[in-house]
Amino acid sequence: MSGRPPSDLLAASAPIVMPTREIAELTEKRHDNVKRDTKAMLIELGLDPLKFEGIYLDSLNRQQTEYLLDRELTDTLLTGYSAVLRRKVIARWHQLEKDAAPPSLPNFADPAAAARAWADEVEAKRTAEGKVHQLKHQVADQAPAVAGFNLIADASGSMCFRDAAANLKMRQCDLMDYLVSKKWIYERIGSEGYKAYGDRLQALDLRYNSFPYESKTTGEPKTRRQVRITNKGLTKLAAMITQDAVTKRMAAAPGQHQQHLPLPGDDPPG
C-alpha cells in the first residue's frame, strides 16, 4: 500500500489576489477610476505599480491591464470608499479565502485512515456521476415547460444587465462575457456601451431603451441607447446556461476522478 498522498493534494496553492476589475464591479465604479485610485495608492506606499499589473482579454479579445491586489492592499484601497461598498468587497474576500483553503490530508501511515479516504473518494465519484445523470434528465423534463413559457413570455418588459445577472444567479461580468460569446451583444470601437445583434432584436430577446442626459462638457441635451434583456430573452438565457452547464459537467465527468487514492495492496508509484 502506498504511503504517499496524491500529488494534486500537495500542489502549492497560488497566492490569493483580487483583480481591480472585480473590485470595480462590486463597488459599482468604473474600472479606469479604480485603476487610477490603485495606482495612486501604490505610489504613495512606495510600491511599483508595474509589479502588480495583470493582463486580461476584453470582449473584443484585446489585451487590457488591471491590478492584482492582496488582502492588505485591497483593505487599504477600500478605506476611501463607503462602508457599504467596503462590506461587499470584504465579503467577497472571505469567500475567496474559504474556497482557497487546502483540504485536510488523511494520515496515510494509518491503514484505517487510508481505507476511509479511499472509500470517501469512491463515494464522491459515484455522487458526481449520479448528479450528472440527474441533471441530464432534469433538463429533458424541463424542456417542454421552458419551451411553453418561452412562447408566452412578455417581451414588453425588460431589465438591465445587472438585474438580469442577479436573476440568473451569476456575476454581471460573467453574464456580459456569455452574451458576447453567444453573439447577443458586441462592442463597437469608438462607441459607448454594448450594441445588440440584429437577430436578437428581431427575436425580441433584446431591446434598446433610450434615455436623455446632459453633456458634461457642453451642457447640450443628448440621448443614449442602452441594451436591455427582455423577459423572453431572460427565459431563453436561463435555458441556455442550464444546458451549457450540464454539457460541461458531462464532458468533465469521465476525467474528474482520474487520480484516485491508492487502493489497499497497490504497489507504491515509481
Side-chain angles (χ1 to χ4, degrees):
M1 179 175 174
S2 170
R4 287 192 205 168
S7 58
D8 58 333
L9 293 180
L10 294 178
S13 59
I16 310 173
V17 294
M18 181 176 287
T20 48
R21 269 190 305 159
E22 188 165 9
I23 296 174
E25 179 186 337
L26 291 169
T27 57
E28 302 177 7
K29 293 177 177 288
R30 289 171 54 95
H31 185 214
D32 53 351
N33 291 338
V34 174
K35 284 176 59 179
R36 178 201 63 204
D37 295 343
T38 301
K39 183 176 181 180
M41 176 194 70
L42 293 172
I43 293 174
E44 186 175 351
L45 293 173
L47 301 173
D48 183 1
L50 292 177
K51 293 183 178 180
F52 297 86
E53 271 194 359
I55 301 295
Y56 70 95
L57 297 178
D58 64 13
S59 58
L60 295 179
N61 211 32
R62 299 172 301 187
Q63 286 192 348
Q64 305 287 357
T65 61
E66 61 185 351
Y67 292 110
L68 305 175
L69 304 180
D70 61 19
R71 178 64 183 269
E72 182 177 342
L73 289 175
T74 303
D75 289 345
T76 304
L77 175 66
L78 292 179
T79 55
Y81 296 165
S82 75
V84 173
L85 301 183
R86 289 200 303 270
R87 185 176 184 181
K88 289 173 66 175
V89 177
I90 290 171
R92 174 61 179 155
W93 258 111
H94 288 164
Q95 185 62 48
L96 287 173
E97 291 170 340
K98 180 181 177 182
D99 293 343
S104 57
L105 294 176
N107 181 8
F108 287 90
D110 180 355
R116 283 195 301 270
W118 169 76
D120 291 342
E121 176 76 4
V122 172
E123 182 61 27
K125 178 182 178 181
R126 290 174 179 168
T127 301
E129 291 174 346
K131 286 183 178 179
V132 170
H133 185 72
Q134 180 182 358
L135 282 170
K136 181 179 178 181
H137 285 281
Q138 183 179 350
V139 170
D141 292 341
Q142 290 179 351
V146 171
F149 184 70
N150 197 39
L151 292 174
I152 63 174
D154 178 13
S156 63
S158 64
M159 62 187 69
C160 64
F161 292 133
R162 183 184 305 164
D163 292 341
N167 277 276
L168 294 169
K169 309 299 183 186
M170 61 193 303
R171 298 188 306 172
Q172 182 179 340
C173 61
D174 293 334
L175 174 60
M176 306 297 286
D177 290 342
Y178 187 81
L179 292 173
V180 170
S181 69
K182 295 298 183 181
K183 297 190 180 300
W184 281 44
I185 60 174
Y186 64 95
E187 283 186 291
R188 178 180 294 167
I189 298 176
S191 298
E192 186 176 352
Y194 286 90
K195 307 297 180 184
Y197 280 98
D199 58 342
R200 294 300 103 207
L201 293 171
Q202 293 175 5
L204 302 180
D205 296 325
L206 300 175
R207 60 175 292 183
Y208 280 109
N209 266 20
S210 298
F211 59 93
Y213 71 100
E214 190 175 278
S215 172
K216 293 182 179 179
T217 55
T218 64
E220 297 178 355
K222 291 189 174 183
T223 302
R224 180 179 298 162
R225 295 207 305 169
Q226 179 190 57
V227 180
R228 295 175 66 88
I229 301 176
T230 66
N231 292 343
K232 179 182 179 182
L234 187 70
T235 303
K236 188 176 295 185
L237 279 172
M240 289 169 56
I241 292 170
T242 301
Q243 182 62 64
D244 287 351
V246 171
T247 301
K248 184 177 179 181
R249 291 186 190 181
M250 292 180 64
Q256 280 181 343
H257 297 276
Q258 304 236 336
Q259 187 165 12
H260 298 292
L261 296 173
L263 298 175
D266 282 353
D267 294 329

